[in-house]
Amino acid sequence: GAGVSQSPRYKVAKRGQDVALRCDPISGHVSLFWYQQALGQGPEFLTYFQNEAQLDKSGLPSDRFFAERPEGSVSTLKIQRTQQEDSAVYLCASSLGGQGYEQYFGPGTRLTVT
Amino acid sequence: AQKITQTQPGMFVQEKEAVTLDCTYDTSDPSYGLFWYKQPSSGEMIFLIYQGSYDQQNATEGRYSLNFQKARKSANLVISASQLGDSAMYFCAMVGANNLFFGTGTRLTVIP
């Protein structure tokens, strides 16, 4: 069956540009998570949706980061005025429920800001 | 607040041998869950095994087993009969309020 998909897989942006990263979760999965993974580090939580509701955005590093999931399925992570420190892999995960349910991860989007 | 510590940046193991990857955690929650994920060079995080804090037995999934020692707050991953395809990054993670907290990972290299 189809897993979590993300697009694009690779994105190069010039500093100051806006980017949009897309996540298609597994069909029927209620919960959707975004993580940021810097080189050589473990993923760090950015934000969490339950259906279309963004229940937790405590991990977003600045107000340049914005995420949405308007219909409770596909989600978009938008980064405005990108900075070099935004360079990382952005991972999306989905799960059937919330805490304790296994999260299924997508392949990630590698963002490089030059 | 939750914290995950993985103290082994890299590990080597001979093919067909067993290897243990260390993970310690800290939490004030009486009920919690622990995961192990594998991340090959392709970048995708692959779920391996889950242990609930109240589970009476250590979790096992095929060649993977979790050596859960609650009093020591450790949840080490044991991989038996290592295969070349096991070479990857391995992350220990703990369930938080709405997300997973990950350790810094251990890079496992299986030597033929």
Side-chain angles (χ1 to χ4, degrees), chain A residues 70-83:
Chain A
E71 297 178 0
S73 178
V74 171
S75 177
T76 303
L77 176 67
K78 297 179 179 177
I79 309 173
Q80 297 175 323
R81 304 181 303 282
T82 51
Q83 304 294 315

PDB file of all heavy atoms in Angstrom, chain A residues 70-83:
ATOM      1  N   PRO A  70      -5.559  21.904   5.562  1.00  0.00           N
ATOM      2  CA  PRO A  70      -6.913  22.460   5.500  1.00  0.00           C
ATOM      3  C   PRO A  70      -8.050  21.441   5.408  1.00  0.00           C
ATOM      4  O   PRO A  70      -9.146  21.705   5.910  1.00  0.00           O
ATOM      5  CB  PRO A  70      -6.870  23.360   4.262  1.00  0.00           C
ATOM      6  CG  PRO A  70      -5.701  22.886   3.473  1.00  0.00           C
ATOM      7  CD  PRO A  70      -4.719  22.351   4.452  1.00  0.00           C
ATOM      8  N   GLU A  71      -7.810  20.307   4.790  1.00  0.00           N
ATOM      9  CA  GLU A  71      -8.882  19.322   4.641  1.00  0.00           C
ATOM     10  C   GLU A  71      -8.605  18.056   5.426  1.00  0.00           C
ATOM     11  O   GLU A  71      -9.239  17.017   5.198  1.00  0.00           O
ATOM     12  CB  GLU A  71      -9.099  19.015   3.155  1.00  0.00           C
ATOM     13  CG  GLU A  71      -9.564  20.245   2.368  1.00  0.00           C
ATOM     14  CD  GLU A  71      -9.744  19.958   0.891  1.00  0.00           C
ATOM     15  OE1 GLU A  71      -9.502  18.798   0.476  1.00  0.00           O
ATOM     16  OE2 GLU A  71     -10.103  20.886   0.157  1.00  0.00           O
ATOM     17  N   GLY A  72      -7.646  18.133   6.319  1.00  0.00           N
ATOM     18  CA  GLY A  72      -7.368  16.975   7.160  1.00  0.00           C
ATOM     19  C   GLY A  72      -6.635  15.856   6.470  1.00  0.00           C
ATOM     20  O   GLY A  72      -6.571  14.734   6.985  1.00  0.00           O
ATOM     21  N   SER A  73      -6.048  16.150   5.297  1.00  0.00           N
ATOM     22  CA  SER A  73      -5.286  15.116   4.601  1.00  0.00           C
ATOM     23  C   SER A  73      -3.897  15.655   4.272  1.00  0.00           C
ATOM     24  O   SER A  73      -3.017  15.639   5.137  1.00  0.00           O
ATOM     25  CB  SER A  73      -6.026  14.676   3.346  1.00  0.00           C
ATOM     26  OG  SER A  73      -5.276  13.709   2.644  1.00  0.00           O
ATOM     27  N   VAL A  74      -3.728  16.192   3.082  1.00  0.00           N
ATOM     28  CA  VAL A  74      -2.435  16.750   2.664  1.00  0.00           C
ATOM     29  C   VAL A  74      -2.054  17.930   3.556  1.00  0.00           C
ATOM     30  O   VAL A  74      -2.904  18.723   3.963  1.00  0.00           O
ATOM     31  CB  VAL A  74      -2.519  17.201   1.196  1.00  0.00           C
ATOM     32  CG1 VAL A  74      -1.278  17.985   0.790  1.00  0.00           C
ATOM     33  CG2 VAL A  74      -2.731  16.000   0.283  1.00  0.00           C
ATOM     34  N   SER A  75      -0.766  18.003   3.843  1.00  0.00           N
ATOM     35  CA  SER A  75      -0.267  19.116   4.643  1.00  0.00           C
ATOM     36  C   SER A  75       0.857  19.823   3.904  1.00  0.00           C
ATOM     37  O   SER A  75       1.589  19.209   3.121  1.00  0.00           O
ATOM     38  CB  SER A  75       0.252  18.611   5.987  1.00  0.00           C
ATOM     39  OG  SER A  75       0.810  19.666   6.760  1.00  0.00           O
ATOM     40  N   THR A  76       0.971  21.116   4.152  1.00  0.00           N
ATOM     41  CA  THR A  76       2.048  21.905   3.566  1.00  0.00           C
ATOM     42  C   THR A  76       2.783  22.637   4.673  1.00  0.00           C
ATOM     43  O   THR A  76       2.157  23.249   5.542  1.00  0.00           O
ATOM     44  CB  THR A  76       1.495  22.929   2.558  1.00  0.00           C
ATOM     45  OG1 THR A  76       0.741  22.250   1.550  1.00  0.00           O
ATOM     46  CG2 THR A  76       2.633  23.694   1.891  1.00  0.00           C
ATOM     47  N   LEU A  77       4.090  22.541   4.639  1.00  0.00           N
ATOM     48  CA  LEU A  77       4.952  23.309   5.532  1.00  0.00           C
ATOM     49  C   LEU A  77       5.571  24.424   4.702  1.00  0.00           C
ATOM     50  O   LEU A  77       6.219  24.159   3.688  1.00  0.00           O
ATOM     51  CB  LEU A  77       6.041  22.429   6.137  1.00  0.00           C
ATOM     52  CG  LEU A  77       7.081  23.132   7.023  1.00  0.00           C
ATOM     53  CD1 LEU A  77       6.440  23.648   8.299  1.00  0.00           C
ATOM     54  CD2 LEU A  77       8.238  22.188   7.371  1.00  0.00           C
ATOM     55  N   LYS A  78       5.334  25.638   5.110  1.00  0.00           N
ATOM     56  CA  LYS A  78       5.843  26.791   4.376  1.00  0.00           C
ATOM     57  C   LYS A  78       6.897  27.505   5.220  1.00  0.00           C
ATOM     58  O   LYS A  78       6.703  27.711   6.419  1.00  0.00           O
ATOM     59  CB  LYS A  78       4.708  27.755   4.030  1.00  0.00           C
ATOM     60  CG  LYS A  78       3.662  27.137   3.110  1.00  0.00           C
ATOM     61  CD  LYS A  78       2.531  28.108   2.805  1.00  0.00           C
ATOM     62  CE  LYS A  78       1.505  27.469   1.870  1.00  0.00           C
ATOM     63  NZ  LYS A  78       0.345  28.347   1.606  1.00  0.00           N
ATOM     64  N   ILE A  79       7.986  27.853   4.581  1.00  0.00           N
ATOM     65  CA  ILE A  79       9.038  28.616   5.240  1.00  0.00           C
ATOM     66  C   ILE A  79       9.223  29.901   4.446  1.00  0.00           C
ATOM     67  O   ILE A  79       9.523  29.862   3.252  1.00  0.00           O
ATOM     68  CB  ILE A  79      10.359  27.834   5.305  1.00  0.00           C
ATOM     69  CG1 ILE A  79      10.134  26.438   5.888  1.00  0.00           C
ATOM     70  CG2 ILE A  79      11.382  28.595   6.146  1.00  0.00           C
ATOM     71  CD1 ILE A  79      11.375  25.534   5.839  1.00  0.00           C
ATOM     72  N   GLN A  80       9.035  31.008   5.117  1.00  0.00           N
ATOM     73  CA  GLN A  80       9.173  32.304   4.451  1.00  0.00           C
ATOM     74  C   GLN A  80      10.569  32.860   4.696  1.00  0.00           C
ATOM     75  O   GLN A  80      11.182  32.610   5.742  1.00  0.00           O
ATOM     76  CB  GLN A  80       8.124  33.279   4.998  1.00  0.00           C
ATOM     77  CG  GLN A  80       6.691  32.856   4.720  1.00  0.00           C
ATOM     78  CD  GLN A  80       5.674  33.783   5.371  1.00  0.00           C
ATOM     79  OE1 GLN A  80       5.876  34.273   6.463  1.00  0.00           O
ATOM     80  NE2 GLN A  80       4.565  34.016   4.675  1.00  0.00           N
ATOM     81  N   ARG A  81      11.058  33.603   3.721  1.00  0.00           N
ATOM     82  CA  ARG A  81      12.353  34.296   3.836  1.00  0.00           C
ATOM     83  C   ARG A  81      13.412  33.342   4.394  1.00  0.00           C
ATOM     84  O   ARG A  81      13.988  33.565   5.457  1.00  0.00           O
ATOM     85  CB  ARG A  81      12.206  35.532   4.728  1.00  0.00           C
ATOM     86  CG  ARG A  81      11.133  36.501   4.255  1.00  0.00           C
ATOM     87  CD  ARG A  81      11.032  37.718   5.163  1.00  0.00           C
ATOM     88  NE  ARG A  81      10.781  37.392   6.553  1.00  0.00           N
ATOM     89  CZ  ARG A  81       9.598  37.054   7.056  1.00  0.00           C
ATOM     90  NH1 ARG A  81       8.544  36.984   6.260  1.00  0.00           N
ATOM     91  NH2 ARG A  81       9.467  36.784   8.341  1.00  0.00           N
ATOM     92  N   THR A  82      13.660  32.267   3.667  1.00  0.00           N
ATOM     93  CA  THR A  82      14.555  31.209   4.161  1.00  0.00           C
ATOM     94  C   THR A  82      15.922  31.755   4.540  1.00  0.00           C
ATOM     95  O   THR A  82      16.450  32.683   3.912  1.00  0.00           O
ATOM     96  CB  THR A  82      14.738  30.102   3.115  1.00  0.00           C
ATOM     97  OG1 THR A  82      15.116  30.686   1.858  1.00  0.00           O
ATOM     98  CG2 THR A  82      13.470  29.304   2.941  1.00  0.00           C
ATOM     99  N   GLN A  83      16.485  31.146   5.576  1.00  0.00           N
ATOM    100  CA  GLN A  83      17.816  31.455   6.074  1.00  0.00           C
ATOM    101  C   GLN A  83      18.683  30.205   5.966  1.00  0.00           C
ATOM    102  O   GLN A  83      18.168  29.079   5.885  1.00  0.00           O
ATOM    103  CB  GLN A  83      17.746  31.917   7.524  1.00  0.00           C
ATOM    104  CG  GLN A  83      16.834  33.114   7.756  1.00  0.00           C
ATOM    105  CD  GLN A  83      17.365  34.364   7.087  1.00  0.00           C
ATOM    106  OE1 GLN A  83      18.547  34.661   7.182  1.00  0.00           O
ATOM    107  NE2 GLN A  83      16.487  35.101   6.397  1.00  0.00           N
TER     108      GLN A  83
END
